[in-house]
Amino acid sequence: MNFKVNFQKAKRNYMVLTFDDERMMDGKKEAYERVIQVGMPKKRVFTALMGMQELMDQRNGAQTEGQKHEADREIIDGLYELVAQILSNNLKGEAVTTEWVEEQFSVDEIREFFTAYVKFVNGEAASPN
């Protein structure tokens, strides 16, 4: 007896994000609306999240102000890298760079993004389909 599973027909849901961005067209910068459809997290994102938790634990265990400041810098850098990884898991398969995320997102917007992303992931994880 053969048992087949076709992942090509599996229903996948995406979180749709819209950004004001710029691109070069005919040698000129042009403003446009960039839409990124982000999928559910893959293993590398969960691994990065666990790494972020370790950084936060290190910060909490820091003894000196210098150690705390260094941990804060690492956490901020890690958050921007993590957002780039999450956004790169998109329907078009476009790579999103950390540099683009740094130009696009303020620290407050990073927080807002993670709040929305966690709601998306939790909502999808709770869905029976």
Side-chain angles (χ1 to χ4, degrees):
M1 175 194 263
N2 291 334
F3 185 76
K4 293 183 179 182
V5 178
N6 185 347
F7 286 103
Q8 292 173 326
K9 296 181 181 180
K11 181 179 178 260
R12 297 199 188 336
N13 293 318
Y14 293 88
M15 178 180 176
V16 180
L17 303 159
T18 306
F19 300 93
D20 290 328
D21 203 359
E22 293 180 341
R23 62 181 167 203
M24 294 299 287
M25 287 293 278
D26 300 325
K28 297 178 185 176
K29 277 190 181 181
E30 170 186 271
Y32 78 105
E33 189 174 85
R34 183 175 186 182
V35 177
I36 301 175
Q37 294 176 295
V38 177
M40 289 295 285
K42 303 284 196 276
K43 180 187 177 290
R44 74 178 187 280
V45 170
F46 282 113
T47 301
L49 285 168
M50 289 186 296
M52 185 59 57
Q53 183 60 52
E54 289 172 7
L55 281 175
M56 290 180 188
D57 291 344
Q58 284 177 355
R59 197 249 184 247
N60 292 337
Q63 300 295 318
T64 67
E65 285 301 311
Q67 290 173 334
K68 289 179 183 179
H69 290 306
E70 181 60 30
D72 288 341
R73 273 191 286 280
E74 288 182 39
I75 289 168
I76 290 169
D77 289 344
L79 286 172
Y80 279 87
E81 290 172 21
L82 181 55
V83 170
Q85 286 182 16
I86 291 169
L87 295 179
S88 292
N89 178 33
N90 61 66
L91 186 59
K92 293 181 182 177
E94 294 176 313
V96 175
T97 65
T98 303
E99 291 78 18
W100 183 85
V101 174
E102 288 171 356
E103 291 175 15
Q104 194 70 35
F105 285 83
S106 70
V107 175
D108 285 338
E109 290 168 332
I110 290 284
R111 185 174 357 120
E112 184 179 338
F113 168 77
F114 275 110
T115 300
Y117 186 67
V118 167
K119 285 181 184 177
F120 165 70
V121 171
N122 287 338
E124 291 301 319
S127 173
N129 296 327

